[in-house]
Amino acid sequence: MTLRIGISARLLHQPPEGLGLPQKRLQFLESTMAHWIMAHRAIALMVPFVDEESPLSANRAPMTEIVDLLDGLVLQGGIDICPETYGDTLRDPAWAGDAIRDRYELNLLRGFVEAGKPVLGVCRGAQLINVYFGGSLVQDIPTLRPGSAEHQDTSRYDRLMHDVHFEEGSLLHRLYGNSAPHRVTSIHHQCVDRLGEGLAVEALSPQDGIIEAIRHKGSGYVLGVQWHPEFHLSPGEETQGLLDSGPMMLDFLRAARARADRHQSGAAVVHAGMPLPTRT
């Protein structure tokens, strides 16, 4: 069975002129994210947002049915998370984020976590995982963590890079097999502040101690990385020496495959007239 991986949608509430869709909200995914998933023989399927204020929302499929159709979830990067979403006060209008997208993705994330299906969060997605488990964010690293390394440069975008260090005994340490620093992309001005309940730190920036990856310690598979592994696929001199994104995706898909196989085995038992084992 080919795995079906859901990707949360990016939202563009006010499309620029010239796209031919004035006053229409757009939903999209960044193509390299789909390529990263599909390069490993899985299908990437964007999960559209349904406007909660639309009369159509009353007839939409329940979240449980959407989750049942998919084998795992990838949370895309993008705009900031609204500070009010994690109980903080906005410090600067430029960091207001998108509360609408927050509610949509948190509902989606909750569905997969409760179903025990694997989740991989990228950049904003890692921050959202931290917020979901009760954590908070640093709204702006340069302002609130003065002296930190540079983590975002709009002029270079995905060509700004720095090292990360995987914590001893972490999932990423096991996947990549050594404790040497690894080179990754860096496109964020926000980061994890207070760590969410049940989360473990997977990686740090050795220059300033900024948290670069987190994982939930409970049952299931929930991993968030602050960098963009999907951007490491782009060929060119700039990407030489960057962390290989393959092992991370393969591990996520292994978890999705294992969860799907357990579900199929349980369905076979029910079909034979025996009770389904308790879902974990």
Side-chain angles (χ1 to χ4, degrees):
M1 181 186 70
T2 301
L3 293 173
R4 296 166 294 187
I5 303 302
I7 307 178
S8 62
R10 293 192 184 208
L11 306 181
L12 188 59
H13 299 285
Q14 296 179 325
E17 294 182 8
L19 293 183
L21 292 165
Q23 302 178 350
K24 297 293 184 183
R25 179 188 285 123
L26 301 185
Q27 307 187 51
F28 66 99
L29 60 87
E30 205 284 325
S31 62
T32 55
M33 178 62 78
H35 295 165
W36 184 35
I37 295 168
M38 297 182 75
H40 296 87
R41 301 185 67 82
I43 298 175
L45 301 166
M46 192 180 77
V47 183
F49 160 78
V50 177
D51 192 333
E52 59 230 341
E53 297 180 357
S54 167
L56 300 175
S57 65
N59 297 317
R60 64 184 173 184
M63 181 58 66
T64 53
E65 293 184 11
I66 295 173
V67 173
D68 283 345
L69 289 171
L70 300 168
D71 300 303
L73 173 68
V74 174
L75 297 166
Q76 289 196 84
I79 195 168
D80 294 340
I81 293 170
C82 179
E84 283 84 356
T85 298
Y86 50 92
D88 204 353
T89 301
L90 179 64
R91 296 171 180 260
D92 187 311
W95 312 330
D98 186 346
I100 293 175
R101 182 176 171 185
D102 295 346
R103 291 192 293 272
Y104 149 68
E105 285 192 306
L106 285 170
N107 188 36
L108 194 57
L109 174 57
R110 182 178 299 108
F112 278 83
V113 170
E114 291 180 351
K117 293 191 174 185
V119 176
L120 177 60
V122 170
C123 198
R124 170 194 159 92
Q127 297 170 6
L128 193 82
I129 287 170
N130 189 58
V131 169
Y132 174 80
F133 286 104
S136 64
L137 304 177
V138 174
Q139 291 186 37
D140 184 62
I141 295 170
T143 303
L144 302 175
R145 296 282 180 89
S148 296
E150 188 176 27
H151 289 268
Q152 183 186 53
D153 183 341
T154 54
S155 66
R156 284 188 282 173
Y157 189 55
D158 60 347
R159 292 301 179 258
L160 177 63
M161 304 164 193
H162 67 75
D163 289 342
V164 295
H165 174 78
F166 298 155
E167 294 290 274
E168 190 76 29
S170 68
L171 170 64
L172 293 174
H173 186 269
R174 294 196 299 272
L175 285 179
Y176 289 94
N178 62 68
S179 57
H182 298 275
R183 202 82 170 151
V184 299
T185 52
S186 187
I187 318 170
H188 62 102
H189 77 103
Q190 300 191 326
C191 66
V192 170
D193 185 13
R194 183 183 69 254
L195 194 63
E197 185 177 352
L199 295 177
V201 174
E202 284 274 314
L204 296 168
S205 165
Q207 293 176 272
D208 52 22
I210 295 293
I211 295 173
E212 291 282 336
I214 56 177
R215 176 181 55 84
H216 192 252
K217 295 181 290 187
S219 60
Y221 187 108
V222 182
L223 175 69
V225 298
Q226 188 61 74
W227 62 91
H228 282 263
E230 74 276 22
F231 290 170
H232 295 192
L233 299 175
S234 303
E237 289 184 9
E238 301 93 339
T239 58
Q240 291 181 8
L242 283 173
L243 182 72
D244 181 2
S245 61
M248 188 186 309
M249 177 52 65
L250 287 171
D251 191 63
F252 168 71
L253 294 176
R254 275 194 295 269
R257 173 69 66 192
R259 172 63 178 76
D261 288 346
R262 288 197 302 272
H263 180 72
Q264 283 190 326
S265 297
V269 170
V270 169
H271 185 70
M274 297 175 64
L276 179 69
T278 302
R279 174 183 283 176
T280 58

